[in-house]
Amino acid sequence: MSDLIFLDSAGSSIPPAEVVDEVVGHLRRETEIGGYRAAAERRDDIEAGYGVLAELFGCEPSEVAFTDSATRSWLTAFDAVPLAKGDRILVTEVEYGGNAVPMLRRAEETGATIEVMPSDRHGQLDVDALDLDERVKLISLVHVPTNGGLVNPVDEVTAKAREVGALVLLDACQSTGQIDLSAHDYDMLVCTGRKWLRGPRGTGALVVRNEVRRRLKPRLMDHSAAEWVAPDRYQPRDDARVFELWEYSVADRLGMIAAAKYALAKGLDVIEAEVGDRAKRLRTGLASIPGITVQDLGERQSGIVTFTSDRVPAMELKDRLWQRDVAVTVSQSGSTLIDMTRRGLDEVVRASPHYFVTPEEIDQALDRISSSR
């Protein structure tokens, strides 16, 4: 039994045994009969997976696409949004670097502009201050930032966007698996399997609402996304799988489906409550340690807890804690440049306790942080 206190589910979490067994079991089966036959044996399970993710996200199975990462999901969706000179793209102050770079590149290419939406006094997006008109084509909404605990509003933003015909692309990388998304309203959603969902690395999903899909122009299509019906003609699929590629890891996809089933069986409301309890215990304890500053914003907060020490740089503190069997990571300014620059931060230590971390382990971690600071 490991003595590690694992506080890095916002990075790449520890998968349940059911997920590991699914992935490893299928890989072993491939060594016995080959990849094609092994995949054929699990065709029905793969097909059923669309319904599993639809339950997780509160959408239709036809609105779900599997991908190999949240990055692939985001790039695929964003690339399909029609943009022209004068169009406006709105982003939050906590926009993620992996989203910002392709937006900047495409803005250069198309003549669209990127504008930062203001935050309120709590640090989350200020819905009342939104400046929307018909030129706004896309709102890039980070639900939970990678560098802090706040939770941005979703339904209120989407309602405002609908008034002007703008699309909302929800980055749910840090909320999928810790926050119940099934009742939220959005146009497109991206997620990864490896974080709070506790799935394998190299997995992700993209949700595109049926009514929205017809407004998009996907460019990266292969012969699974569209049928080659004549030498000079093709016919795209009429569901979200138009965003999928033919080649993928069957073992990893089965693992992601298993992870989603596991989360649904435990109960998304139960997970959200337990993660919230662990994070609150950790924040409260950190706030009582001299020299430690909790850096989280937000009126509503998630399972991500960030802090700094006035004595030890974040990277060094992370390394000290790793040596003492406490797994944390560091979030640096390049990942959320606007927010970190605005707050005068170069880096923060990021801890993200999942429900499998016990209250006693939180207390032990606090003791080790106190003596390592």
Side-chain angles (χ1 to χ4, degrees):
M1 189 72 176
S2 174
D3 292 327
L4 179 67
I5 300 174
F6 190 82
L7 305 180
D8 194 19
S9 285
S12 187
S13 192
I14 296 176
E18 288 85 342
V19 172
V20 176
D21 291 345
E22 189 73 283
V23 174
V24 174
H26 187 78
L27 289 174
R28 286 181 175 146
R29 186 61 174 155
E30 286 184 346
T31 69
E32 296 168 352
I33 62 174
Y36 281 12
R37 286 186 64 188
E41 290 181 344
R42 303 302 301 274
R43 185 177 294 118
D44 290 345
D45 296 318
I46 291 290
E47 187 65 30
Y50 293 91
V52 175
L53 262 62
E55 183 179 355
L56 189 72
F57 295 119
C59 64
E60 298 296 323
S62 61
E63 297 174 325
V64 173
F66 284 93
T67 68
D68 59 14
S69 66
T71 301
R72 178 76 67 188
S73 297
W74 201 94
L75 290 172
T76 301
F78 176 66
D79 187 69
V81 176
L83 291 173
K85 186 174 182 178
D87 289 342
R88 300 170 63 199
I89 303 169
L90 304 187
V91 303
T92 58
E93 290 190 330
V94 294
E95 184 59 86
Y96 182 57
N99 303 342
V101 169
M103 280 192 284
L104 289 167
R105 183 181 181 280
R106 202 152 172 235
E108 288 179 340
E109 187 178 78
T110 63
T113 61
I114 301 172
E115 303 170 31
V116 180
M117 297 177 286
S119 300
D120 64 17
R121 62 188 180 87
H122 299 289
Q124 65 240 7
L125 177 62
D126 189 343
V127 178
D128 293 332
L130 284 178
D131 174 24
L132 304 182
D133 58 29
E134 69 280 355
R135 294 173 299 156
V136 178
K137 303 304 179 185
L138 181 72
I139 296 177
S140 175
L141 180 58
V142 175
H143 194 195
V144 173
T146 189
N147 69 323
L150 72 85
V151 180
N152 268 319
V154 176
D155 298 338
E156 299 89 338
V157 175
T158 302
K160 289 257 190 181
R162 297 261 164 83
E163 295 175 3
V164 297
L167 296 173
V168 174
L169 175 53
L170 182 65
D171 184 335
C173 284
Q174 293 291 6
S175 50
T176 301
Q178 68 150 323
I179 294 175
D180 187 353
L181 297 164
S182 62
H184 282 315
D185 189 17
Y186 51 83
D187 296 312
M188 298 170 284
L189 175 151
V190 303
C191 81
T192 181
R194 65 179 161 87
K195 297 181 184 289
W196 300 93
L197 194 58
R198 303 183 66 195
R201 297 199 70 170
T203 58
L206 168 63
V207 176
V208 181
R209 301 296 190 182
N210 287 326
E211 62 272 19
V212 169
R213 191 180 67 254
R214 298 175 179 91
R215 296 173 55 184
L216 303 180
K217 298 185 181 300
R219 293 194 293 178
L220 303 176
M221 293 190 293
D222 66 8
H223 63 301
S224 67
E227 184 182 1
W228 193 14
V229 296
D232 61 349
R233 193 159 48 88
Y234 65 95
Q235 180 61 50
R237 290 186 63 111
D238 191 28
D239 59 15
R241 297 187 216 185
V242 72
F243 298 99
E244 290 186 356
L245 298 176
W246 184 83
E247 179 59 32
Y248 64 91
S249 166
V250 177
D252 288 338
R253 187 169 295 184
L254 289 168
M256 183 171 184
I257 295 168
K261 287 181 178 178
Y262 191 91
L264 289 167
K266 183 172 179 62
L268 298 176
D269 56 339
V270 173
I271 293 173
E272 188 169 343
E274 292 189 9
V275 169
D277 174 76
R278 305 301 190 272
K280 183 178 179 180
R281 190 183 189 96
L282 182 57
R283 280 193 195 97
T284 301
L286 287 168
S288 69
I289 300 175
I292 294 292
T293 301
V294 176
Q295 298 291 352
D296 292 332
L297 303 176
E299 193 171 21
R300 178 189 174 194
Q301 295 182 321
S302 75
I304 295 179
V305 180
T306 56
F307 60 96
T308 53
S309 167
D310 62 5
R311 303 176 187 174
V312 183
M315 288 296 290
E316 183 179 341
L317 183 54
K318 179 208 73 171
D319 291 341
R320 290 185 185 184
L321 291 172
W322 264 103
Q323 292 169 7
R324 303 192 65 185
D325 290 328
V326 178
V328 295
T329 192
V330 169
S331 186
Q332 297 180 310
S333 60
S335 64
T336 44
L337 187 64
I338 298 169
D339 177 59
M340 298 279 270
T341 301
R342 177 177 63 89
R343 294 200 278 155
L345 296 170
D346 294 321
E347 57 184 10
V348 293
V349 180
R350 187 183 73 187
S352 44
H354 219 319
Y355 58 79
F356 56 76
V357 180
T358 66
E360 292 75 21
E361 287 178 316
I362 296 291
D363 294 342
Q364 292 171 24
L366 287 166
D367 288 340
R368 296 177 198 180
I369 292 169
S370 181
S371 58
S372 301
R373 58 185 167 85

